[in-house]
């Protein structure tokens, strides 16, 4: 009886230890090392309170994740991705991606709001974080029946109510929402509304919730981990410190009980430098080891080596997989809710978290949806979950501005305007225009998206473009001057598209088009001469497969692009000779042919400093010659591997059948700066040659081949690349050129594409 009494009294009067974790941005990852060291040294952790990243780390521990599992999570590429607002590559949805254009930025607005209300309130995309928070915390929250005292370790976190200027303490409810609210750093993450209050980062009013630890749990000893401090005094030159002092209340970083210790791990990193996770974890671990003798001297309780693992295992045994059997949509009207429902639950079948994730991230990439937030609600009768999606429709209008500025007269301005409508289906009406000496172009497009398990779209597109290679040939450096040449393209097309997995799509379409060219067949012409004119008016049908994971729309350095396109042409060539032509007869000639194009652009990341890219391209065609050599060359497919080559008319790099390819070496010495070396070979099956009558003829097979290359320094600004390059084109009279440009040498679709 005496022994039993002693054992009972030992349990009754054993010390209870509380751990308090401060906020502090990426520096808060040091808390992982603190928890790891405490557990390895058998120091009990009976309660946890945390703010911001401290709430995330503490919440993961309270949810039953071991320090090793938390360390693995926060050092993973997945974690780094969602702290930047980036989806994992496998979840990006190419089907919703619009065709690339020269825009630098876009501005969304509505007719029912003013300018200020259209400014974005968050720096990064919150969708990945929101979903993973639900995935990480929902199972444990369900086991605890939404009572934070019933988690693996009792837990509290705080957020900030900026309307009433006070802290909000989370003791019950949805664990994911509580932690996500606590870490909503202003202008970084989209704020959440909980019980009618807009909540932000808990660190605004209480960055070290030791008072909550004392009031709610009254532990015998507090171990605090602090990775930040109060803001320095503001000055008139530092806007950041001014805002920080206006927003944040000074915090007392001392334990709110007589018995306690505060650790100060090294955390001198940027507030969003989450890629420094391992260094921070190690610093937290070392800070415990340095203070371990003092901690052990004051804490007499110890966890047995196996007891914590057994307790964690017992808690996690009750966790069951998340399976959703229904969805409810809030925040939008009935028709819009129907569109979202069909995108997620096409046939009302149950979905695992992984099955839902794929569809959810697809929906998040829809440009008609501004934001979505998931909430999993457990049904104790069915054992499954109801998915509640809080959605917000995007603004109806999008304005795009951009272009390209260059040392050559290929500069242009770009403007685009888009109207979005979301109902049971999604409607997009889009138009853009390019204005420049080289290219003037206007595009109009209407697209209707149909949601479902296999979504699809139908689209109508019209394009007019004019290419004036004569005006754009007046160079600062007199090189690569072509003969007089103006091309006018017009097309109208109707097509249908379907996704092919997440990263690719397939499309098929039919259309009518005209390729008009005005040209001289000789360099020796005067002001009184008239040019030849060729118009090819045709109908076509096309089928196309496209996969695109490239990281940039120009000067890419990561990812993969594959395009395979088959196209059938059937039409008439109308030829009107000019005064310098050897022919004086107006004629029309019928042409029909099939053309198959293939292209692959792949980047291999060999190290952080160096990347290698490979480009391969080929064309097979049954095309015949047009009336003369120039019109035949103009109608032939072209190999244009570099940004500058897209702005030049290079006869040697055109053929009806060819193979081409090359290698790219990309050196990345500092962030956003690339040094690029690219070399290519162009191998026509049969080169198109000019005979003495200016007609076209074939060379012997594989007789000629041509080389091109580029050496460039490219800096990627937030709105577009700045590039300086030396370019080489084998076979030209002056093969070298110099190009400086800021922006994009990207143009609208042409009739020959």
């Amino acid at each position: 009886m005496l022994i039993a009494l002693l054992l009972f009294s030992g349990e009754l009067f054993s010390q209870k230890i509380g751990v308090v974790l401060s906020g502090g941005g990426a520096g808060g990852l040091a808390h992982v090392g603190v928890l790891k060291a405490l557990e390895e040294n058998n120091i009990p952790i009976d309660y946890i309170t945390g703010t911001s990243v401290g709430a995330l780390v503490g919440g993961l521990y309270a949810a039953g994740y071991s320090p090793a599992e938390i360390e693995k999570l926060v050092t993973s590429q997945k974690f780094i991705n969602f702290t930047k607002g980036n989806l994992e590559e496998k979840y990006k949805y190419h089907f919703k991606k619009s065709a690339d254009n020269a825009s630098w930025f876009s501005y969304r607005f509505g007719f029912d709001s003013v300018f200020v209300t259209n400014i974005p309130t968050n720096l990064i995309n919150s969708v990945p974080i929101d979903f993973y928070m639900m995935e990480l915390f929902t199972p444990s929250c369900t086991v605890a029946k939404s009572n934070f005292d019933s988690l693996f370790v009792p837990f509290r976190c705080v957020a900030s109510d900026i309307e009433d200027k006070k802290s909000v303490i989370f003791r019950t409810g949805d664990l994911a929402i509580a932690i996500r609210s606590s870490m909503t750093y202003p202008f970084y993450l989209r704020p959440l509304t909980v019980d009618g209050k807009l909540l932000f980062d808990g660190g605004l009013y209480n960055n070290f919730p030791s008072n909550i630890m004392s009031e709610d749990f009254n532990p015998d000893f507090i171990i605090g981990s602090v990775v930040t401090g109060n803001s320095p005094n503001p000055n008139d030159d530092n806007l950041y410190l001014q805002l920080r002092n206006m927003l944040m209340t000074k915090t007392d970083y001392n334990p709110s009980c007589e018995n306690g210790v505060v650790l100060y791990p090294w955390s001198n990193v940027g507030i969003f430098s989450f890629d420094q996770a391992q260094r921070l974890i190690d610093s937290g671990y070392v800070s415990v080891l340095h203070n371990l003798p003092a901690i052990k001297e004051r804490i007499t309780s110890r966890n047995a080596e196996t007891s914590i693992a057994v307790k964690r295992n017992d808690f996690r045994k009750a966790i069951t997989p998340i399976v959703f059997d229904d969805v409810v949509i809030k925040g939008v009207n009935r028709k819009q809710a129907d569109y979202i429902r069909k995108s997620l639950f096409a046939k009302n079948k149950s979905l695992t978290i992984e099955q839902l994730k794929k569809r959810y991230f697809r929906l998040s990439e829809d440009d008609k949806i501004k934001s979505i937030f998931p909430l999993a609600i457990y049904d104790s009768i069915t054992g499954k979950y109801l998915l509640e999606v809080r959605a917000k429709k995007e603004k109806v209008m999008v304005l795009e501005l951009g272009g390209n500025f260059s040392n050559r007269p290929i500069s242009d301005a770009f403007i685009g305007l888009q109207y979005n409508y979301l109902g049971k289906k999604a409607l997009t009406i889009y138009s853009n225009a390019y204005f420049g000496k080289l290219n003037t172009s206007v595009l109009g497009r209407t697209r209707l998206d149909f949601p479902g398990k296999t979504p699809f779209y139908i689209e109508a597109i019209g394009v007019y473009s004019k290419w004036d290679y004569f005006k754009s040939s007046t160079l600062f450096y007199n090189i690569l001057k072509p003969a007089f040449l103006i091309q006018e393209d017009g097309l109208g097309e109707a097509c249908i598209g379907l996704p092919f997995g997440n990263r690719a799509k397939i499309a098929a379409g039919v259309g009518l088009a005209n390729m008009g060219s005005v040209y001289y067949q000789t360099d020796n012409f005067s002001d009184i001469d008239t040019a030849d004119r060729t118009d090819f008016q045709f109908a076509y049908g096309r089928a196309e497969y496209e996969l695109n994971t490239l990281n940039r729309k120009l000067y890419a350095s990561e990812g993969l692009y594959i395009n395979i396109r088959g196209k059938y042409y059937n039409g008439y060539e109308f030829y009107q000779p000019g005064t310098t032509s050897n022919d004086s007869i107006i004629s029309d000639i019928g042409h029909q042919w099939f053309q198959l194009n293939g292209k692959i652009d792949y980047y291999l990341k060999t190290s952080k400093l160096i990347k290698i890219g490979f480009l391969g391209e080929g064309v097979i065609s049954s095309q015949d010659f047009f009336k003369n050599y120039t019109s035949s060359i103009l109608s032939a497919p072209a190999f244009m591997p570099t940004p500058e080559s897209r702005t030049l008319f290079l006869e040697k790099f055109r053929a009806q059948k060819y193979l081409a390819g090359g290698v790219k070496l990309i050196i990345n010495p500092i962030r956003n700066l690339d040094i690029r070396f690219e070399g290519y070979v162009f191998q026509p099956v049969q080169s198109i040659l000019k005979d003495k009558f200016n007609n076209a003829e074939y060379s012997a097979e594989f007789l000629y081949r041509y080389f091109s290359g580029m050496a460039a320094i490219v800096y990627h600004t937030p709105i577009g690349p700045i590039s300086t390059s030396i370019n080489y084109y084998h076979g030209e009279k002056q093969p070298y050129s110099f190009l400086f440009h800021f922006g994009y040498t990207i143009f609208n679709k042409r009739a020959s594409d």
Side-chain angles (χ1 to χ4, degrees):
M1 289 178 62
L2 179 62
I3 292 172
L5 181 62
L6 289 172
L7 289 173
F8 176 74
S9 63
E11 287 295 321
L12 185 63
F13 297 107
S14 63
Q15 288 175 298
K16 295 297 182 181
I17 311 303
V19 173
V20 183
L21 306 177
S22 78
L29 298 183
H31 301 321
V32 181
V34 170
L35 297 177
K36 179 180 178 182
L38 292 175
E39 189 168 299
E40 285 183 3
N41 287 279
N42 303 319
I43 305 299
I45 301 175
D46 297 299
Y47 316 105
I48 289 184
T49 62
T51 294
S52 194
V53 178
L56 174 64
V57 174
L60 286 167
Y61 190 87
Y65 294 92
S66 69
E69 289 172 324
I70 302 171
E71 180 176 12
K72 183 178 180 181
L73 169 65
V74 301
T75 56
S76 68
Q77 187 60 47
K78 176 194 288 189
F79 182 81
I80 293 173
N81 282 342
F82 74 64
T83 61
K84 294 179 179 179
N86 297 331
L87 289 174
E88 290 182 79
E89 194 59 52
K90 64 182 178 180
Y91 294 119
K92 290 183 179 179
Y93 197 33
H94 180 55
F95 182 65
K96 294 291 185 180
K97 180 179 171 62
S98 300
D100 289 337
N101 58 42
S103 66
W104 296 343
F105 60 88
S106 61
Y107 172 68
R108 297 179 180 273
F109 62 97
F111 298 119
D112 57 347
S113 56
V114 296
F115 176 81
V116 173
T117 61
N118 291 310
I119 299 174
T121 58
N122 51 299
L123 182 64
I124 71 165
N125 176 17
S126 303
V127 169
I129 293 179
D130 295 339
F131 192 91
Y132 283 119
M133 296 284 279
M134 179 185 72
E135 185 178 9
L136 286 168
F137 293 111
T138 293
S140 300
C141 188
T142 300
V143 171
K145 297 181 180 179
S146 300
N147 183 350
F148 295 178
D149 285 339
S150 300
L151 291 166
F152 170 66
V153 172
F155 172 71
R156 299 287 186 270
C157 67
V158 294
S160 298
D161 175 357
I162 62 170
E163 181 183 351
D164 294 336
K165 304 293 188 296
K166 67 178 184 180
S167 289
V168 175
I169 305 169
F170 286 97
R171 299 180 175 90
T172 60
D174 187 277
L175 184 59
I177 287 181
I179 295 171
R180 168 65 170 80
S181 299
S182 182
M183 55 189 289
T184 304
Y185 196 84
F187 310 115
Y188 176 66
L189 287 174
R190 179 177 293 278
L192 299 184
T193 299
V194 180
D195 296 331
K197 297 293 184 180
L198 194 65
L199 301 184
F200 281 89
D201 193 293
L204 295 180
Y205 303 142
N206 189 348
N207 205 32
F208 186 66
S210 64
N211 61 319
I212 296 168
M213 173 65 73
S214 296
E215 293 165 6
D216 279 30
F217 300 124
N218 192 27
D220 300 294
F221 193 88
I222 288 178
I223 299 173
S225 178
V226 175
V227 293
T228 188
N230 288 310
S231 297
N233 292 329
N235 59 64
D236 58 358
D237 292 324
N238 194 320
L239 178 62
Y240 172 72
L241 287 181
Q242 293 172 24
L243 291 172
R244 187 178 171 93
N245 276 269
M246 281 191 285
L247 290 171
M248 296 186 68
T249 300
K250 291 190 181 297
T251 297
D252 181 2
Y253 290 100
N254 295 309
S256 55
C257 71
E258 295 181 2
N259 218 6
V261 63
V262 177
L263 310 174
Y264 293 93
W266 173 85
S267 58
N268 188 23
V269 298
I271 197 166
F272 304 126
S273 299
F274 291 97
D275 54 347
Q276 301 292 315
Q278 194 60 60
R279 293 179 65 196
L280 291 161
I281 293 169
D282 293 342
S283 77
Y285 188 88
V286 169
S287 72
V288 172
L289 297 186
H290 285 168
N291 291 273
L292 194 57
I295 293 173
K296 285 186 173 181
E297 182 180 341
R298 301 170 70 181
I299 298 177
T300 56
S301 297
R302 295 288 186 274
N303 278 326
E305 291 186 11
T306 57
S307 64
I308 190 70
V310 171
K311 180 184 175 185
R312 182 177 287 119
N313 187 56
D314 288 343
F315 179 81
R316 291 169 63 160
K317 278 181 181 178
I319 290 176
T320 57
I322 301 175
V323 178
F324 295 97
D325 63 356
D326 202 358
V327 61
V328 59
I329 315 297
K330 294 185 176 181
V332 292
N333 65 35
R334 183 178 56 81
K335 290 182 178 180
Q336 294 160 355
D338 187 60
Y339 178 88
I340 294 173
R341 172 185 285 275
K342 287 182 178 178
S343 299
L344 296 173
F345 278 76
K347 295 184 178 179
N348 294 322
K349 291 184 178 180
S350 295
L351 296 176
T352 65
I353 190 75
E354 195 60 38
Q355 290 170 328
L356 173 68
K357 187 185 299 183
K358 186 175 181 180
R359 299 182 187 185
Y360 187 87
F361 288 150
R362 281 184 174 187
L363 177 66
S364 73
E365 299 249 292
D366 196 309
D367 62 358
K368 314 299 183 299
I369 306 294
K370 182 175 184 177
S371 66
I372 49 177
F373 183 87
L375 177 64
I377 302 173
Y378 183 68
D379 186 336
S380 59
I381 298 175
T382 64
K384 296 181 180 180
Y385 290 82
L386 169 71
L387 175 67
E388 180 181 303
V389 177
R390 300 173 183 177
K392 185 174 287 187
K393 183 176 69 74
E394 187 54 272
K395 300 289 193 299
V396 296
M397 300 300 298
V398 184
L399 174 66
E400 298 176 326
L401 296 174
N404 183 52
F405 292 99
S406 174
N407 67 306
R408 285 183 48 209
I410 60 171
S411 301
D412 58 23
F414 170 86
I415 184 170
L417 190 64
Q418 180 171 311
Y419 170 76
N420 296 321
Y421 171 78
L422 182 62
K424 287 189 174 182
K425 302 172 183 63
L427 173 67
T428 302
I429 301 175
Y430 174 78
S431 64
N432 71 34
Y434 289 80
F435 306 95
K437 283 187 175 182
L438 171 67
N439 175 249
T440 300
S441 177
V442 178
L443 175 145
R445 184 180 75 238
T446 300
R447 170 168 162 163
L448 194 60
D449 280 271
F450 296 81
K453 184 177 181 181
T454 304
F456 67 95
Y457 68 81
I458 56 174
E459 183 178 67
I461 183 172
V463 185
Y464 167 80
S465 60
K466 181 179 180 180
W467 294 79
D468 193 329
Y469 291 99
F470 180 70
K471 285 184 179 179
S472 65
S473 67
T474 307
L475 309 182
F476 281 85
Y477 299 93
N478 187 23
I479 51 178
L480 296 173
K481 181 177 179 180
F484 179 90
L485 172 60
I486 297 174
Q487 288 185 292
E488 291 183 284
D489 285 358
L491 70 89
E493 178 183 285
C495 70
I496 183 171
L498 299 93
F500 194 86
N502 253 40
R503 303 191 300 174
K505 65 179 179 180
I506 54 176
V510 294
L512 298 172
N514 177 73
M515 294 190 299
S517 302
V518 178
Y519 54 91
Y520 288 103
Q521 297 185 53
T522 175
D523 289 338
N524 299 316
F525 56 87
S526 67
D527 292 341
I528 62 173
D529 286 319
T530 58
D532 293 18
R533 182 177 181 93
T534 296
D535 287 280
F536 179 49
Q537 298 175 359
F538 62 97
Y540 67 87
R542 70 173 181 92
E544 184 174 12
Y545 167 87
E546 184 178 67
L547 181 152
N548 190 352
T549 66
L550 298 180
N551 63 329
R552 301 186 183 104
K553 57 186 179 182
L554 194 67
Y555 297 113
S557 59
E558 295 178 10
L560 171 67
Y561 177 84
I562 297 175
N563 184 280
I564 300 171
R565 181 176 71 248
K567 192 170 182 179
Y568 173 73
Y569 299 78
N570 191 336
Y572 281 89
E573 173 194 7
F574 298 93
Y575 173 66
Q576 181 174 332
T579 56
T580 62
S581 174
N582 293 329
D583 198 337
S584 60
I585 300 174
I586 298 175
S587 59
D588 62 276
I589 307 168
H591 298 279
Q592 56 178 319
W593 72 89
F594 178 78
Q595 183 174 303
L596 181 65
N597 298 58
K599 179 179 179 179
I600 180 170
D601 191 10
Y602 174 64
Y603 295 87
L604 179 66
K605 187 175 182 180
T606 57
S607 69
K608 189 174 183 179
L609 178 65
I610 296 175
K611 303 180 183 70
I612 297 176
F614 302 93
L615 176 69
E617 190 173 313
V619 174
I620 300 173
S621 175
S622 59
Q623 182 179 358
D624 56 353
F625 287 137
F626 275 40
K627 181 65 177 178
N628 54 56
Y629 166 78
T630 304
S631 58
S632 296
I633 279 288
L634 286 169
S635 65
F639 178 56
M640 300 177 289
T642 61
E644 188 193 47
S645 64
R646 301 177 186 183
T647 70
L648 299 171
F649 177 68
L650 300 170
E651 296 181 26
K652 298 293 191 297
F653 292 85
R654 289 173 172 260
Q656 294 165 351
K657 301 175 187 177
Y658 68 79
L659 294 172
V663 179
K664 313 173 192 183
L665 175 64
I666 305 165
I667 303 171
N668 182 218
I670 61 174
R671 185 180 179 184
N672 294 326
L673 180 69
D674 291 344
I675 302 172
R676 303 175 71 100
F677 300 96
E678 303 182 11
Y680 303 97
V681 58
F682 175 73
Q683 177 61 72
V685 176
Q686 290 177 295
S687 295
I688 301 175
L689 305 178
K690 182 191 294 187
D691 68 13
K692 62 181 180 180
F693 302 107
N694 287 335
N695 293 322
E697 63 179 7
Y698 288 123
S699 71
E701 291 187 350
F702 303 106
L703 179 62
Y704 299 103
R705 68 188 56 86
Y706 301 95
F707 302 92
S708 64
M710 179 186 76
I713 299 175
V714 184
Y715 183 75
H716 301 278
T717 75
I719 61 174
I722 300 174
S723 172
T724 300
S725 65
I726 301 295
N727 300 271
Y728 171 75
Y729 305 99
H730 176 214
E732 294 297 325
K733 292 180 180 179
Q734 301 210 24
Y736 292 97
S737 69
F738 170 78
L739 176 69
F740 169 82
H741 77 98
F742 169 53
Y744 297 97
T745 55
I746 298 175
F747 306 99
N748 279 331
K749 179 178 180 177
R750 302 184 66 171
S752 56
D753 291 342

